[in-house]
Amino acid sequence: MNRSPIVLSLAAAAALMLPAAAPVAAPRVNIAKFDALPQPLPLPYHAGNAKAEIAAARARAIKAHKRLLIDLGGNWCLDCRLLAGVMDLPQMKPFVAKHFEVVTVDVGRFDQNLDIPESYGIKGRLAGVPAVLIVDPKTNRLVNAGRETALADARSLTPQALADWIAGWVG
């Protein structure tokens, strides 16, 4: 019998990037395509003292028993802005706030704040952005090692797949 190769849906492919068992289900996102996100898309990255912002967020995360989510990217990056747009949705914003302390870090054109991913063991140039670092604040260790650039082509996913990926890292 002649069988064609197996083709995965985008949602199934995104699920392969998730941890083995997602302990918390993501909220249902009420939009199917990114063009339905509120416009203009957020511009989440700004100049500032990224190390101080991460340290403060880490302290808050420890106190609140949350994980630290460090979003490395740039306002020039559509995939970064799509991620920010999904995290700002009314269904996602409270979920993210409940489970994560979020810090956005501007990496410029891969020429700023690159010591931050390096401090979490990411050597060399980032493979893409957004690079999302999920950190256990108590140990300051990267939880999603090897998967930090899984959303660098976010536009090839769906808003729900992005929400599911984020939920997969709830501690």
Side-chain angles (χ1 to χ4, degrees):
M1 176 167 17
N2 186 4
R3 294 183 185 223
S4 61
I6 296 172
V7 178
L8 295 176
S9 71
L10 291 176
L16 293 176
M17 297 185 294
L18 291 174
V24 176
R28 289 294 115 208
V29 174
N30 65 359
I31 60 171
K33 296 185 178 186
F34 290 116
D35 57 5
L37 285 172
Q39 299 294 319
L41 290 171
L43 297 168
Y45 307 95
H46 59 277
N49 185 338
K51 286 181 185 174
E53 291 176 23
I54 290 169
R58 181 175 172 221
R60 290 190 306 272
I62 290 169
K63 191 174 188 176
H65 307 287
K66 299 179 184 182
R67 285 203 164 154
L68 178 60
L69 187 155
I70 304 170
D71 174 3
L72 304 163
N75 289 332
W76 55 267
C77 168
L78 176 60
D79 297 299
C80 300
R81 294 179 68 197
L82 291 173
L83 174 60
V86 169
M87 290 196 324
D88 274 354
L89 287 171
Q91 303 89 353
M92 282 299 294
K93 198 168 192 162
F95 177 85
V96 171
K98 177 180 178 181
H99 297 288
F100 299 97
E101 283 294 329
V102 177
V103 180
T104 56
V105 176
D106 187 359
V107 295
R109 297 279 181 172
F110 298 96
D111 60 358
Q112 298 174 40
N113 294 315
L114 298 179
D115 55 331
I116 291 168
E118 188 174 301
S119 71
Y120 290 100
I122 300 167
K123 305 297 182 205
R125 182 182 164 110
L126 288 171
V129 290
V132 180
L133 310 181
I134 307 295
V135 177
D136 176 342
K138 293 176 191 158
T139 63
N140 204 31
R141 298 195 77 140
L142 188 61
V143 175
N144 67 325
R147 299 181 195 171
E148 55 278 336
T149 58
L151 302 181
D153 192 18
R155 70 187 95 178
S156 70
L157 303 173
T158 64
Q160 187 63 56
L162 281 179
D164 293 340
W165 191 90
I166 293 165
W169 299 104
V170 170

